[in-house]
Amino acid sequence: MELATNIFLLLLGISILVWGANKFVDHASVIAKHMGISDLVIGLTLIAFGTSAPEIFVGISSIINQNEEIALGTAIGSNISNIALIFGVSCLYLTGPSKTQLWNFVPFGLSVILLGLTLVDGKISFSESIGFVGILMIFMFVLFKTDGLAEEDSLESNEFGRSLFISLIGLVALIAGANIAVIYAESTALLLGVPQLIIGLTIIALGTSLPELAATIVALRKGKHQMVVGNIIGSNVFNLVFIIPMIGFFGSVEVSPMVMQRDFYILLALSMVFILLAVVLTKFQFRKNIFSISGVALIASYVLYISTLSGII
């Protein structure tokens, strides 16, 4: 009974988290448009940050509750699910090329490389944390050099006020949901005898990736393929450049060698595949069969990864 209650509350926390992220993203975008910020910048900053907000708030709550392994597992696990599951699903529904500027991949690649260098010694040092903050600065520079401001959309003052109010409610839901998810993830892990890292890599990582999946489905329906690639780039960068430094600055965790030997190399391989497919999508003639096969392979790899972590295989 206690286990069932903990699992229910864990799923409830994740649900509140995802709901809050969706409200925050939707209405923050309305506010940004009112301020004259372009769709591309909104997509790669507000939407990417908003869909990463569950992971970031889980990271903050985990560090406050001294459960840094959950934060680390969530960051790495969410990035794996973003590529293998969400981009894998996207590949099945792509219908044309996407023009993504190649320099947008620079901070993405740098964040993965620095993560590997950070995990080698099993510790997240202060200087390594500063390095992730530096990558965030590079990422923001690249984004704002990519596109300028759009014409300001006229919104009634009451509509603007409503969006501001709902975005604040979404933020509160994010904070509350993150705390509930972390507390009951730890309790569930203890009851099941499962390491906190595995809980972060599986249940919480998949749950907090739902906003990215929702944003991807909306983008695909509107034929905005560049937003699919952009959202994954932005979300994966934000997951690493916010959560890893927080652990380095405010937490203390001895990273299991298994994270480097298993999870990082899987993330590295998937990141290379993602960049390769994104370049093909940008530079070469679109061929549906290539992306359909790639999508099936990515989804199958994710199912295999989760099955292995869960002990099914």
Side-chain angles (χ1 to χ4, degrees):
M1 185 64 184
E2 185 180 359
L3 177 60
T5 303
N6 275 272
I7 292 174
F8 171 77
L9 291 171
L10 169 60
L11 296 176
L12 176 65
I14 292 174
S15 299
I16 295 171
L17 195 64
V18 172
W19 181 87
N22 283 327
K23 294 300 179 184
F24 176 75
V25 171
D26 291 343
H27 292 276
S29 296
V30 172
I31 294 168
K33 280 194 174 184
H34 178 71
M35 297 170 65
I37 300 174
S38 72
D39 284 338
L40 180 59
V41 173
I42 291 170
L44 291 174
T45 53
L46 273 175
I47 293 179
F49 177 77
T51 54
S52 292
E55 289 91 336
I56 293 168
F57 278 92
V58 163
I60 294 171
S61 297
S62 299
I63 292 165
I64 291 173
N65 289 286
Q66 298 181 334
N67 299 322
E68 291 91 343
E69 281 197 343
I70 290 179
L72 181 62
T74 300
I76 297 174
S78 293
N79 281 19
I80 289 172
S81 66
N82 283 348
I83 298 174
L85 179 61
I86 296 172
F87 187 65
V89 170
S90 302
C91 285
L92 300 178
Y93 294 97
L94 290 173
T95 56
S98 169
K99 300 300 179 184
T100 305
Q101 294 186 5
L102 297 184
W103 68 340
N104 286 320
F105 293 104
V106 172
F108 175 84
L110 288 175
S111 64
V112 176
I113 292 169
L114 183 55
L115 176 65
L117 295 174
T118 300
L119 295 176
V120 165
D121 61 359
K123 296 180 180 178
I124 303 172
S125 69
F126 183 85
S127 59
E128 289 163 344
S129 300
I130 291 292
F132 281 105
V133 175
I135 292 173
L136 173 61
M137 297 299 103
I138 294 171
F139 183 53
M140 298 305 294
F141 174 77
V142 167
L143 288 179
F144 284 100
K145 288 288 287 184
T146 299
D147 196 68
L149 295 177
E151 293 184 7
E152 183 175 327
D153 289 340
S154 60
L155 289 177
E156 297 292 335
S157 59
N158 60 340
E159 186 179 351
F160 179 81
R162 176 175 175 273
S163 291
L164 183 62
F165 176 70
I166 294 177
S167 66
L168 290 175
I169 289 180
L171 187 60
V172 171
L174 274 171
I175 296 170
N179 273 294
I180 294 170
V182 169
I183 290 169
Y184 288 99
E186 181 188 17
S187 299
T188 303
L190 289 172
L191 287 171
L192 292 173
V194 177
Q196 293 178 12
L197 177 66
I198 301 299
I199 293 289
L201 285 166
T202 54
I203 298 174
I204 296 184
L206 182 57
T208 55
S209 291
L210 292 179
E212 283 90 344
L213 182 59
T216 297
I217 291 171
V218 171
L220 287 170
R221 283 180 176 175
K222 294 181 177 180
K224 297 184 177 181
H225 298 158
Q226 74 280 4
M227 289 304 300
V228 173
V229 177
N231 184 42
I232 292 172
I233 292 172
S235 295
N236 279 27
V237 171
F238 282 134
N239 285 347
L240 296 184
V241 302
F242 277 97
I243 296 175
I244 304 302
M246 284 193 297
I247 297 173
F249 290 144
F250 306 111
S252 59
V253 59
E254 290 288 333
V255 181
S256 168
M258 186 59 70
V259 176
M260 184 70 187
Q261 298 165 10
R262 178 192 60 203
D263 307 305
F264 172 73
Y265 285 118
I266 290 171
L267 177 59
L268 178 63
L270 288 171
S271 299
M272 293 171 65
V273 169
F274 169 68
I275 292 173
L276 176 62
L277 289 173
V279 170
V280 170
L281 199 59
T282 299
K283 294 293 185 181
F284 298 94
Q285 182 180 357
F286 179 77
R287 293 188 178 181
K288 176 67 177 175
N289 60 333
I290 292 177
F291 287 93
S292 295
I293 294 170
S294 299
V296 170
L298 285 170
I299 295 169
S301 70
Y302 185 70
V303 172
L304 178 62
Y305 173 68
I306 293 296
S307 299
T308 303
L309 287 180
S310 304
I312 297 173
I313 296 179

